[in-house]
Amino acid sequence: QKEVEQDPGPLSVPEGAIVSLNCTYSNSAFQYFMWYRQYSRKGPELLMYTYSSGNKEDGRFTAQVDKSSKYISLFIRDSQPSDSATYLCAMSRETGGGADGLTFGKGTHLIIQP
Amino acid sequence: KAGVTQTPRYLIKTRGQQVTLSCSPISGHRSVSWYQQTPGQGLQFLFEYFSETQRNKGNFPGRFSGRQFSNSRSEMNVSTLELGDSALYLCASSLVGTGKSYNEQFFGPGTRLTVL
């Protein structure tokens, strides 16, 4: 079993829909939880990070972490075609990954249909 | 401020050869991490360097090695290439010890390595 599980999709939704992306993990030592977005032929870019449990909102994006269930989510409201990309969850024990680096899910390929 | 740059962007090699990839971090960033991204395994941590020292290494064979120079630029080397080494190799840099609540890892565009 991988440390971080993420459904690879593809997930296809119509423009304007609410998108829900999820990851589960097994290592209880993880303290930092991140969501990266990766467009084709580009490196990942950080969307949001959360420390420990709780919710965090940034514009159309909301990240949730439930450490008791080892489950994290990313919600995208009013989805746009430009949101079409691969979304990667990532986790670490230390801020920014530290010496251990980041542990990633495999990524969910999201398609927003105009 | 310029982002993380990686060279070359694309490489084609044959089995048994070796390859060296280069990464220039964002100015002022002293931590450089390398990752391998494949469709089957996703993004996997290779190693991390800080102040010219490798602090940690992921679960990869000894054919994968790296180094960091005094200007924080980093190289990774793969010897005796195998078909399974075909992947996107990503470099990320970050600040360390800033006192901020979170030190973001900034990724470069990657080097696409194809082994024939």
Short mmCIF file of all heavy atoms in Angstrom, two decimals, chain A residues 22-91:
data_model
loop_
_atom_site.label_atom_id
_atom_site.label_comp_id
_atom_site.label_asym_id
_atom_site.label_seq_id
_atom_site.Cartn_x
_atom_site.Cartn_y
_atom_site.Cartn_z
N ASN A 22 -9.77 14.13 -3.64
CA ASN A 22 -9.47 13.56 -2.34
C ASN A 22 -8.21 12.73 -2.34
O ASN A 22 -7.81 12.18 -3.37
CB ASN A 22 -10.64 12.66 -1.89
CG ASN A 22 -11.98 13.32 -2.07
OD1 ASN A 22 -12.32 14.27 -1.38
ND2 ASN A 22 -12.75 12.84 -3.03
N CYS A 23 -7.62 12.62 -1.15
CA CYS A 23 -6.49 11.73 -0.93
C CYS A 23 -6.61 11.10 0.45
O CYS A 23 -7.12 11.75 1.37
CB CYS A 23 -5.15 12.47 -1.01
SG CYS A 23 -4.69 13.02 -2.65
N THR A 24 -6.15 9.89 0.57
CA THR A 24 -6.02 9.25 1.87
C THR A 24 -4.55 8.94 2.09
O THR A 24 -3.78 8.79 1.13
CB THR A 24 -6.84 7.97 1.99
OG1 THR A 24 -6.41 7.04 0.97
CG2 THR A 24 -8.32 8.25 1.79
N TYR A 25 -4.16 8.85 3.36
CA TYR A 25 -2.75 8.57 3.65
C TYR A 25 -2.65 7.67 4.86
O TYR A 25 -3.61 7.50 5.62
CB TYR A 25 -1.98 9.88 3.86
CG TYR A 25 -2.42 10.70 5.04
CD1 TYR A 25 -1.76 10.61 6.26
CD2 TYR A 25 -3.50 11.57 4.95
CE1 TYR A 25 -2.15 11.36 7.35
CE2 TYR A 25 -3.90 12.32 6.04
CZ TYR A 25 -3.22 12.23 7.24
OH TYR A 25 -3.61 12.97 8.32
N SER A 26 -1.47 7.10 5.04
CA SER A 26 -1.31 6.14 6.13
C SER A 26 -0.31 6.60 7.20
O SER A 26 -0.35 6.10 8.32
CB SER A 26 -0.85 4.79 5.57
OG SER A 26 0.36 4.94 4.84
N ASN A 27 0.55 7.54 6.88
CA ASN A 27 1.60 7.96 7.81
C ASN A 27 1.09 9.06 8.73
O ASN A 27 0.92 10.21 8.31
CB ASN A 27 2.82 8.45 7.02
CG ASN A 27 4.03 8.70 7.90
OD1 ASN A 27 3.92 8.81 9.12
ND2 ASN A 27 5.19 8.81 7.29
N SER A 28 0.90 8.75 10.00
CA SER A 28 0.35 9.73 10.94
C SER A 28 1.35 10.83 11.28
O SER A 28 1.00 11.81 11.95
CB SER A 28 -0.11 9.03 12.22
OG SER A 28 0.96 8.31 12.80
N ALA A 29 2.59 10.71 10.83
CA ALA A 29 3.60 11.74 11.11
C ALA A 29 3.46 12.96 10.20
O ALA A 29 4.06 14.00 10.46
CB ALA A 29 5.00 11.15 10.96
N PHE A 30 2.68 12.84 9.14
CA PHE A 30 2.51 13.98 8.24
C PHE A 30 1.80 15.12 8.96
O PHE A 30 0.80 14.92 9.65
CB PHE A 30 1.70 13.59 6.99
CG PHE A 30 2.43 12.69 6.04
CD1 PHE A 30 1.78 11.63 5.43
CD2 PHE A 30 3.77 12.91 5.74
CE1 PHE A 30 2.45 10.79 4.53
CE2 PHE A 30 4.45 12.08 4.85
CZ PHE A 30 3.79 11.02 4.25
N GLN A 31 2.35 16.33 8.83
CA GLN A 31 1.79 17.50 9.48
C GLN A 31 1.38 18.58 8.48
O GLN A 31 0.56 19.42 8.79
CB GLN A 31 2.85 18.11 10.42
CG GLN A 31 3.23 17.23 11.59
CD GLN A 31 2.15 17.18 12.65
OE1 GLN A 31 1.24 17.99 12.68
NE2 GLN A 31 2.24 16.19 13.53
N TYR A 32 2.02 18.59 7.30
CA TYR A 32 1.74 19.59 6.29
C TYR A 32 1.10 18.91 5.09
O TYR A 32 1.57 17.86 4.63
CB TYR A 32 3.03 20.30 5.86
CG TYR A 32 3.65 21.11 6.97
CD1 TYR A 32 4.52 20.51 7.89
CD2 TYR A 32 3.35 22.46 7.12
CE1 TYR A 32 5.07 21.25 8.92
CE2 TYR A 32 3.91 23.20 8.14
CZ TYR A 32 4.76 22.59 9.04
OH TYR A 32 5.30 23.32 10.06
N PHE A 33 0.03 19.53 4.59
CA PHE A 33 -0.75 18.94 3.51
C PHE A 33 -0.91 19.98 2.41
O PHE A 33 -1.37 21.08 2.66
CB PHE A 33 -2.11 18.47 4.04
CG PHE A 33 -1.98 17.50 5.17
CD1 PHE A 33 -1.92 17.96 6.49
CD2 PHE A 33 -1.87 16.14 4.93
CE1 PHE A 33 -1.77 17.07 7.55
CE2 PHE A 33 -1.72 15.25 5.99
CZ PHE A 33 -1.66 15.70 7.29
N MET A 34 -0.52 19.59 1.20
CA MET A 34 -0.49 20.53 0.09
C MET A 34 -1.27 20.01 -1.10
O MET A 34 -1.45 18.80 -1.27
CB MET A 34 0.97 20.73 -0.38
CG MET A 34 1.84 21.58 0.54
SD MET A 34 2.22 20.81 2.13
CE MET A 34 3.31 19.48 1.62
N TRP A 35 -1.74 20.92 -1.90
CA TRP A 35 -2.32 20.61 -3.20
C TRP A 35 -1.53 21.37 -4.26
O TRP A 35 -1.35 22.59 -4.16
CB TRP A 35 -3.80 20.99 -3.27
CG TRP A 35 -4.66 20.04 -2.49
CD1 TRP A 35 -5.08 20.18 -1.21
CD2 TRP A 35 -5.18 18.79 -2.95
NE1 TRP A 35 -5.83 19.10 -0.83
CE2 TRP A 35 -5.91 18.23 -1.88
CE3 TRP A 35 -5.10 18.09 -4.16
CZ2 TRP A 35 -6.56 17.00 -2.00
CZ3 TRP A 35 -5.75 16.88 -4.28
CH2 TRP A 35 -6.47 16.34 -3.20
N TYR A 36 -1.04 20.62 -5.24
CA TYR A 36 -0.33 21.19 -6.37
C TYR A 36 -1.18 20.99 -7.62
O TYR A 36 -1.91 20.01 -7.75
CB TYR A 36 1.02 20.49 -6.58
CG TYR A 36 2.12 20.95 -5.65
CD1 TYR A 36 2.23 20.46 -4.36
CD2 TYR A 36 3.05 21.89 -6.09
CE1 TYR A 36 3.25 20.89 -3.52
CE2 TYR A 36 4.08 22.32 -5.25
CZ TYR A 36 4.16 21.82 -3.98
OH TYR A 36 5.18 22.24 -3.16
N ARG A 37 -1.02 21.91 -8.56
CA ARG A 37 -1.66 21.80 -9.87
C ARG A 37 -0.54 21.70 -10.90
O ARG A 37 0.45 22.44 -10.85
CB ARG A 37 -2.53 23.03 -10.15
CG ARG A 37 -3.21 23.05 -11.50
CD ARG A 37 -4.15 24.25 -11.60
NE ARG A 37 -3.43 25.50 -11.47
CZ ARG A 37 -4.04 26.67 -11.25
NH1 ARG A 37 -5.36 26.73 -11.12
NH2 ARG A 37 -3.32 27.77 -11.18
N GLN A 38 -0.71 20.78 -11.84
CA GLN A 38 0.29 20.59 -12.88
C GLN A 38 -0.37 20.59 -14.25
O GLN A 38 -1.19 19.72 -14.55
CB GLN A 38 1.07 19.28 -12.67
CG GLN A 38 2.22 19.08 -13.63
CD GLN A 38 3.03 17.83 -13.31
OE1 GLN A 38 2.55 16.89 -12.68
NE2 GLN A 38 4.29 17.81 -13.73
N TYR A 39 0.01 21.56 -15.06
CA TYR A 39 -0.44 21.59 -16.44
C TYR A 39 0.52 20.76 -17.29
O TYR A 39 1.68 20.54 -16.91
CB TYR A 39 -0.48 23.03 -16.98
CG TYR A 39 -1.57 23.89 -16.36
CD1 TYR A 39 -1.26 24.94 -15.51
CD2 TYR A 39 -2.91 23.63 -16.60
CE1 TYR A 39 -2.24 25.74 -14.95
CE2 TYR A 39 -3.90 24.42 -16.04
CZ TYR A 39 -3.56 25.47 -15.21
OH TYR A 39 -4.55 26.24 -14.66
N SER A 40 0.04 20.35 -18.45
CA SER A 40 0.85 19.52 -19.34
C SER A 40 2.16 20.22 -19.68
O SER A 40 2.18 21.43 -19.96
CB SER A 40 0.06 19.23 -20.62
OG SER A 40 0.80 18.43 -21.49
N ARG A 41 3.25 19.48 -19.61
CA ARG A 41 4.59 19.97 -19.94
C ARG A 41 5.10 21.06 -18.99
O ARG A 41 5.98 21.84 -19.35
CB ARG A 41 4.67 20.47 -21.38
CG ARG A 41 4.25 19.47 -22.42
CD ARG A 41 4.41 20.02 -23.82
NE ARG A 41 3.73 19.23 -24.81
CZ ARG A 41 4.18 18.08 -25.29
NH1 ARG A 41 5.34 17.61 -24.88
NH2 ARG A 41 3.49 17.41 -26.17
N LYS A 42 4.52 21.12 -17.80
CA LYS A 42 4.96 22.10 -16.80
C LYS A 42 5.27 21.38 -15.48
O LYS A 42 4.83 20.24 -15.26
CB LYS A 42 3.87 23.14 -16.53
CG LYS A 42 3.42 23.90 -17.75
CD LYS A 42 4.32 25.06 -18.03
CE LYS A 42 3.72 25.95 -19.10
NZ LYS A 42 4.58 27.11 -19.39
N GLY A 43 6.01 22.06 -14.61
CA GLY A 43 6.23 21.53 -13.27
C GLY A 43 5.03 21.85 -12.39
O GLY A 43 4.23 22.73 -12.69
N PRO A 44 4.87 21.13 -11.30
CA PRO A 44 3.75 21.40 -10.36
C PRO A 44 3.89 22.79 -9.74
O PRO A 44 5.00 23.26 -9.49
CB PRO A 44 3.91 20.32 -9.29
CG PRO A 44 4.78 19.27 -9.90
CD PRO A 44 5.68 19.98 -10.85
N GLU A 45 2.75 23.43 -9.49
CA GLU A 45 2.74 24.72 -8.79
C GLU A 45 1.82 24.59 -7.57
O GLU A 45 0.76 23.97 -7.64
CB GLU A 45 2.28 25.84 -9.70
CG GLU A 45 0.90 25.66 -10.30
CD GLU A 45 0.44 26.85 -11.11
OE1 GLU A 45 0.98 27.95 -10.94
OE2 GLU A 45 -0.48 26.66 -11.93
N LEU A 46 2.23 25.18 -6.47
CA LEU A 46 1.48 25.06 -5.23
C LEU A 46 0.19 25.87 -5.30
O LEU A 46 0.19 27.04 -5.64
CB LEU A 46 2.32 25.56 -4.05
CG LEU A 46 1.66 25.46 -2.68
CD1 LEU A 46 1.48 24.00 -2.28
CD2 LEU A 46 2.49 26.20 -1.62
N LEU A 47 -0.92 25.19 -4.98
CA LEU A 47 -2.22 25.86 -4.89
C LEU A 47 -2.50 26.29 -3.46
O LEU A 47 -2.83 27.44 -3.21
CB LEU A 47 -3.33 24.91 -5.35
CG LEU A 47 -3.67 24.85 -6.83
CD1 LEU A 47 -4.74 23.78 -7.04
CD2 LEU A 47 -4.14 26.19 -7.35
N MET A 48 -2.39 25.34 -2.54
CA MET A 48 -2.72 25.62 -1.16
C MET A 48 -1.95 24.68 -0.24
O MET A 48 -1.59 23.57 -0.65
CB MET A 48 -4.23 25.39 -0.89
CG MET A 48 -5.14 26.28 -1.71
SD MET A 48 -6.86 25.99 -1.30
CE MET A 48 -6.92 26.72 0.33
N TYR A 49 -1.72 25.12 0.97
CA TYR A 49 -1.17 24.22 1.99
C TYR A 49 -1.97 24.41 3.28
O TYR A 49 -2.52 25.47 3.54
CB TYR A 49 0.31 24.49 2.21
CG TYR A 49 0.60 25.65 3.12
CD1 TYR A 49 0.72 25.47 4.50
CD2 TYR A 49 0.77 26.93 2.60
CE1 TYR A 49 0.98 26.55 5.33
CE2 TYR A 49 1.03 28.00 3.42
CZ TYR A 49 1.13 27.81 4.79
OH TYR A 49 1.40 28.87 5.61
N THR A 50 -2.00 23.36 4.07
CA THR A 50 -2.67 23.38 5.35
C THR A 50 -1.77 22.71 6.37
O THR A 50 -1.16 21.68 6.07
CB THR A 50 -4.02 22.62 5.30
OG1 THR A 50 -4.79 23.11 4.21
CG2 THR A 50 -4.80 22.79 6.58
N TYR A 51 -1.69 23.31 7.54
CA TYR A 51 -0.93 22.69 8.62
C TYR A 51 -1.90 22.02 9.57
O TYR A 51 -2.87 22.64 10.03
CB TYR A 51 -0.10 23.73 9.37
CG TYR A 51 0.56 23.17 10.61
CD1 TYR A 51 1.60 22.26 10.50
CD2 TYR A 51 0.12 23.53 11.88
CE1 TYR A 51 2.21 21.74 11.62
CE2 TYR A 51 0.73 23.01 13.01
CZ TYR A 51 1.77 22.11 12.87
OH TYR A 51 2.37 21.59 14.00
N SER A 52 -1.69 20.73 9.82
CA SER A 52 -2.51 19.93 10.72
C SER A 52 -3.95 19.88 10.21
O SER A 52 -4.20 20.01 9.03
CB SER A 52 -2.41 20.49 12.13
OG SER A 52 -2.91 19.55 13.06
N SER A 53 -4.91 19.70 11.09
CA SER A 53 -6.30 19.55 10.66
C SER A 53 -6.96 20.91 10.47
O SER A 53 -6.50 21.92 10.97
CB SER A 53 -7.09 18.75 11.70
OG SER A 53 -6.76 17.39 11.63
N GLY A 54 -8.07 20.88 9.72
CA GLY A 54 -8.85 22.10 9.56
C GLY A 54 -9.14 22.42 8.11
O GLY A 54 -8.84 21.65 7.21
N ASN A 55 -9.77 23.57 7.92
CA ASN A 55 -10.15 24.04 6.59
C ASN A 55 -9.37 25.29 6.25
O ASN A 55 -8.98 26.06 7.12
CB ASN A 55 -11.65 24.37 6.55
CG ASN A 55 -12.52 23.15 6.72
OD1 ASN A 55 -12.03 22.05 6.86
ND2 ASN A 55 -13.82 23.37 6.72
N LYS A 56 -9.18 25.49 4.95
CA LYS A 56 -8.54 26.71 4.47
C LYS A 56 -9.18 27.09 3.15
O LYS A 56 -9.36 26.22 2.29
CB LYS A 56 -7.04 26.50 4.30
CG LYS A 56 -6.25 27.77 4.04
CD LYS A 56 -4.77 27.46 4.09
CE LYS A 56 -3.94 28.72 3.99
NZ LYS A 56 -2.48 28.42 4.08
N GLU A 57 -9.52 28.36 3.01
CA GLU A 57 -10.19 28.81 1.79
C GLU A 57 -9.34 29.87 1.11
O GLU A 57 -8.76 30.74 1.75
CB GLU A 57 -11.57 29.37 2.14
CG GLU A 57 -12.43 29.69 0.95
CD GLU A 57 -13.85 30.08 1.35
OE1 GLU A 57 -14.39 29.48 2.30
OE2 GLU A 57 -14.39 31.02 0.75
N ASP A 58 -9.30 29.80 -0.24
CA ASP A 58 -8.58 30.80 -1.02
C ASP A 58 -9.33 30.96 -2.34
O ASP A 58 -9.19 30.14 -3.25
CB ASP A 58 -7.14 30.36 -1.27
CG ASP A 58 -6.32 31.42 -2.00
OD1 ASP A 58 -6.86 32.52 -2.28
OD2 ASP A 58 -5.14 31.16 -2.29
N GLY A 59 -10.15 31.98 -2.40
CA GLY A 59 -10.93 32.21 -3.61
C GLY A 59 -11.89 31.07 -3.87
O GLY A 59 -12.70 30.71 -3.02
N ARG A 60 -11.78 30.46 -5.04
CA ARG A 60 -12.67 29.36 -5.38
C ARG A 60 -12.22 28.01 -4.81
O ARG A 60 -12.89 27.00 -4.99
CB ARG A 60 -12.76 29.25 -6.91
CG ARG A 60 -13.37 30.46 -7.60
CD ARG A 60 -13.53 30.25 -9.10
NE ARG A 60 -12.27 30.09 -9.80
CZ ARG A 60 -11.86 28.95 -10.36
NH1 ARG A 60 -12.62 27.86 -10.32
NH2 ARG A 60 -10.70 28.90 -10.99
N PHE A 61 -11.09 27.99 -4.13
CA PHE A 61 -10.51 26.74 -3.64
C PHE A 61 -10.65 26.63 -2.12
O PHE A 61 -10.43 27.59 -1.40
CB PHE A 61 -9.03 26.66 -4.02
CG PHE A 61 -8.77 26.67 -5.51
CD1 PHE A 61 -8.61 27.87 -6.19
CD2 PHE A 61 -8.71 25.48 -6.22
CE1 PHE A 61 -8.38 27.89 -7.56
CE2 PHE A 61 -8.48 25.49 -7.58
CZ PHE A 61 -8.32 26.69 -8.26
N THR A 62 -11.04 25.42 -1.67
CA THR A 62 -11.10 25.12 -0.24
C THR A 62 -10.40 23.80 0.00
O THR A 62 -10.69 22.81 -0.67
CB THR A 62 -12.55 25.01 0.25
OG1 THR A 62 -13.22 26.26 0.04
CG2 THR A 62 -12.59 24.67 1.74
N ALA A 63 -9.46 23.81 0.95
CA ALA A 63 -8.76 22.59 1.34
C ALA A 63 -9.23 22.16 2.71
O ALA A 63 -9.42 22.99 3.60
CB ALA A 63 -7.25 22.82 1.34
N GLN A 64 -9.44 20.87 2.88
CA GLN A 64 -9.85 20.32 4.17
C GLN A 64 -8.91 19.18 4.54
O GLN A 64 -8.51 18.38 3.69
CB GLN A 64 -11.29 19.77 4.09
CG GLN A 64 -12.36 20.82 3.97
CD GLN A 64 -13.76 20.22 4.00
OE1 GLN A 64 -13.94 19.01 3.94
NE2 GLN A 64 -14.77 21.08 4.09
N VAL A 65 -8.58 19.12 5.82
CA VAL A 65 -7.74 18.04 6.34
C VAL A 65 -8.43 17.44 7.56
O VAL A 65 -8.80 18.16 8.49
CB VAL A 65 -6.34 18.54 6.75
CG1 VAL A 65 -5.54 17.42 7.42
CG2 VAL A 65 -5.59 19.08 5.54
N ASP A 66 -8.58 16.14 7.55
CA ASP A 66 -9.13 15.41 8.70
C ASP A 66 -8.06 14.39 9.10
O ASP A 66 -7.99 13.29 8.55
CB ASP A 66 -10.43 14.72 8.31
CG ASP A 66 -11.06 13.97 9.49
OD1 ASP A 66 -10.39 13.81 10.52
OD2 ASP A 66 -12.22 13.55 9.37
N LYS A 67 -7.24 14.75 10.07
CA LYS A 67 -6.14 13.87 10.48
C LYS A 67 -6.65 12.61 11.16
O LYS A 67 -6.01 11.56 11.11
CB LYS A 67 -5.15 14.62 11.36
CG LYS A 67 -4.34 15.68 10.64
CD LYS A 67 -3.23 16.22 11.51
CE LYS A 67 -2.15 15.18 11.73
NZ LYS A 67 -1.05 15.70 12.57
N SER A 68 -7.79 12.69 11.83
CA SER A 68 -8.30 11.52 12.52
C SER A 68 -8.67 10.42 11.52
O SER A 68 -8.54 9.23 11.80
CB SER A 68 -9.50 11.87 13.38
OG SER A 68 -10.57 12.36 12.57
N SER A 69 -9.12 10.83 10.34
CA SER A 69 -9.48 9.87 9.29
C SER A 69 -8.36 9.70 8.27
O SER A 69 -8.50 8.88 7.36
CB SER A 69 -10.76 10.32 8.56
OG SER A 69 -11.83 10.47 9.45
N LYS A 70 -7.31 10.49 8.39
CA LYS A 70 -6.21 10.48 7.42
C LYS A 70 -6.76 10.72 6.02
O LYS A 70 -6.53 9.92 5.08
CB LYS A 70 -5.40 9.19 7.50
CG LYS A 70 -4.68 8.99 8.84
CD LYS A 70 -3.74 7.79 8.78
CE LYS A 70 -2.95 7.61 10.05
NZ LYS A 70 -3.80 7.24 11.20
N TYR A 71 -7.47 11.83 5.87
CA TYR A 71 -8.21 12.11 4.64
C TYR A 71 -8.12 13.60 4.37
O TYR A 71 -8.36 14.41 5.27
CB TYR A 71 -9.67 11.70 4.86
CG TYR A 71 -10.56 11.75 3.65
CD1 TYR A 71 -10.64 10.68 2.78
CD2 TYR A 71 -11.36 12.87 3.39
CE1 TYR A 71 -11.49 10.71 1.67
CE2 TYR A 71 -12.20 12.91 2.30
CZ TYR A 71 -12.27 11.82 1.45
OH TYR A 71 -13.11 11.85 0.36
N ILE A 72 -7.73 13.97 3.13
CA ILE A 72 -7.70 15.37 2.77
C ILE A 72 -8.49 15.59 1.50
O ILE A 72 -8.61 14.66 0.67
CB ILE A 72 -6.26 15.92 2.62
CG1 ILE A 72 -5.58 15.38 1.36
CG2 ILE A 72 -5.42 15.57 3.85
CD1 ILE A 72 -4.26 16.09 1.06
N SER A 73 -9.03 16.80 1.35
CA SER A 73 -9.87 17.12 0.20
C SER A 73 -9.53 18.50 -0.34
O SER A 73 -9.08 19.37 0.40
CB SER A 73 -11.35 17.11 0.59
OG SER A 73 -11.74 15.87 1.11
N LEU A 74 -9.80 18.67 -1.61
CA LEU A 74 -9.72 19.97 -2.27
C LEU A 74 -11.04 20.17 -3.01
O LEU A 74 -11.43 19.30 -3.80
CB LEU A 74 -8.56 20.06 -3.24
CG LEU A 74 -8.46 21.38 -4.01
CD1 LEU A 74 -8.03 22.52 -3.08
CD2 LEU A 74 -7.48 21.28 -5.19
N PHE A 75 -11.70 21.29 -2.74
CA PHE A 75 -12.93 21.62 -3.44
C PHE A 75 -12.69 22.83 -4.35
O PHE A 75 -12.05 23.79 -3.93
CB PHE A 75 -14.06 21.94 -2.45
CG PHE A 75 -14.41 20.78 -1.57
CD1 PHE A 75 -13.84 20.65 -0.32
CD2 PHE A 75 -15.32 19.81 -1.99
CE1 PHE A 75 -14.16 19.57 0.51
CE2 PHE A 75 -15.63 18.74 -1.18
CZ PHE A 75 -15.05 18.62 0.07
N ILE A 76 -13.19 22.74 -5.56
CA ILE A 76 -13.10 23.85 -6.51
C ILE A 76 -14.52 24.27 -6.85
O ILE A 76 -15.31 23.47 -7.37
CB ILE A 76 -12.35 23.45 -7.80
CG1 ILE A 76 -10.98 22.84 -7.48
CG2 ILE A 76 -12.19 24.67 -8.71
CD1 ILE A 76 -10.25 22.29 -8.69
N ARG A 77 -14.86 25.53 -6.52
CA ARG A 77 -16.20 26.04 -6.84
C ARG A 77 -16.17 26.73 -8.19
O ARG A 77 -15.13 27.24 -8.63
CB ARG A 77 -16.65 27.02 -5.77
CG ARG A 77 -16.92 26.39 -4.42
CD ARG A 77 -17.43 27.46 -3.44
NE ARG A 77 -16.42 28.49 -3.22
CZ ARG A 77 -15.40 28.35 -2.39
NH1 ARG A 77 -15.21 27.23 -1.73
NH2 ARG A 77 -14.54 29.35 -2.24
N ASP A 78 -17.34 26.79 -8.83
CA ASP A 78 -17.47 27.49 -10.11
C ASP A 78 -16.30 27.12 -11.05
O ASP A 78 -15.55 27.99 -11.52
CB ASP A 78 -17.49 29.01 -9.87
CG ASP A 78 -17.81 29.80 -11.12
OD1 ASP A 78 -18.45 29.23 -12.03
OD2 ASP A 78 -17.38 30.98 -11.21
N SER A 79 -16.14 25.84 -11.29
CA SER A 79 -15.00 25.35 -12.07
C SER A 79 -14.98 25.96 -13.48
O SER A 79 -16.04 26.19 -14.10
CB SER A 79 -15.03 23.82 -12.14
OG SER A 79 -16.26 23.38 -12.66
N GLN A 80 -13.78 26.23 -13.96
CA GLN A 80 -13.56 26.86 -15.26
C GLN A 80 -12.73 25.91 -16.15
O GLN A 80 -11.95 25.12 -15.64
CB GLN A 80 -12.80 28.16 -15.08
CG GLN A 80 -13.45 29.15 -14.13
CD GLN A 80 -14.76 29.66 -14.68
OE1 GLN A 80 -14.84 30.06 -15.84
NE2 GLN A 80 -15.81 29.64 -13.86
N PRO A 81 -12.86 26.03 -17.46
CA PRO A 81 -12.02 25.20 -18.35
C PRO A 81 -10.53 25.34 -18.05
O PRO A 81 -9.77 24.39 -18.22
CB PRO A 81 -12.38 25.71 -19.74
CG PRO A 81 -13.79 26.19 -19.60
CD PRO A 81 -13.87 26.78 -18.22
N SER A 82 -10.12 26.53 -17.59
CA SER A 82 -8.70 26.74 -17.27
C SER A 82 -8.26 25.95 -16.04
O SER A 82 -7.06 25.86 -15.76
CB SER A 82 -8.43 28.23 -17.05
OG SER A 82 -9.23 28.72 -15.99
N ASP A 83 -9.21 25.39 -15.30
CA ASP A 83 -8.87 24.54 -14.16
C ASP A 83 -8.48 23.13 -14.61
O ASP A 83 -8.04 22.31 -13.79
CB ASP A 83 -10.05 24.43 -13.18
CG ASP A 83 -10.39 25.76 -12.51
OD1 ASP A 83 -9.46 26.57 -12.29
OD2 ASP A 83 -11.58 25.98 -12.22
N SER A 84 -8.67 22.83 -15.87
CA SER A 84 -8.32 21.50 -16.38
C SER A 84 -6.82 21.28 -16.24
O SER A 84 -6.02 22.04 -16.81
CB SER A 84 -8.74 21.37 -17.86
OG SER A 84 -10.14 21.50 -18.00
N ALA A 85 -6.45 20.28 -15.48
CA ALA A 85 -5.04 20.03 -15.16
C ALA A 85 -5.00 18.75 -14.33
O ALA A 85 -6.02 18.14 -14.04
CB ALA A 85 -4.43 21.19 -14.37
N THR A 86 -3.78 18.36 -13.93
CA THR A 86 -3.62 17.27 -12.97
C THR A 86 -3.40 17.88 -11.60
O THR A 86 -2.57 18.77 -11.43
CB THR A 86 -2.43 16.38 -13.36
OG1 THR A 86 -2.70 15.75 -14.62
CG2 THR A 86 -2.21 15.29 -12.30
N TYR A 87 -4.17 17.40 -10.62
CA TYR A 87 -4.08 17.91 -9.25
C TYR A 87 -3.42 16.84 -8.38
O TYR A 87 -3.86 15.70 -8.33
CB TYR A 87 -5.47 18.26 -8.73
CG TYR A 87 -6.01 19.50 -9.40
CD1 TYR A 87 -6.56 19.42 -10.68
CD2 TYR A 87 -5.93 20.74 -8.79
CE1 TYR A 87 -7.01 20.56 -11.33
CE2 TYR A 87 -6.39 21.89 -9.44
CZ TYR A 87 -6.92 21.78 -10.71
OH TYR A 87 -7.36 22.91 -11.36
N LEU A 88 -2.35 17.25 -7.73
CA LEU A 88 -1.55 16.35 -6.91
C LEU A 88 -1.66 16.74 -5.46
O LEU A 88 -1.44 17.91 -5.10
CB LEU A 88 -0.07 16.43 -7.33
CG LEU A 88 0.26 16.08 -8.78
CD1 LEU A 88 1.35 16.98 -9.30
CD2 LEU A 88 0.72 14.63 -8.86
N CYS A 89 -1.98 15.78 -4.61
CA CYS A 89 -1.87 16.05 -3.18
C CYS A 89 -0.45 15.68 -2.75
O CYS A 89 0.18 14.81 -3.34
CB CYS A 89 -2.91 15.28 -2.38
SG CYS A 89 -2.76 13.48 -2.46
N ALA A 90 0.04 16.39 -1.74
CA ALA A 90 1.39 16.14 -1.24
C ALA A 90 1.40 16.35 0.27
O ALA A 90 0.60 17.13 0.80
CB ALA A 90 2.40 17.06 -1.91
N MET A 91 2.30 15.65 0.95
CA MET A 91 2.34 15.71 2.40
C MET A 91 3.78 15.66 2.88
O MET A 91 4.66 15.13 2.17
CB MET A 91 1.58 14.53 3.00
CG MET A 91 0.19 14.42 2.44
SD MET A 91 -0.67 12.96 2.94
CE MET A 91 -2.09 13.10 1.85
#
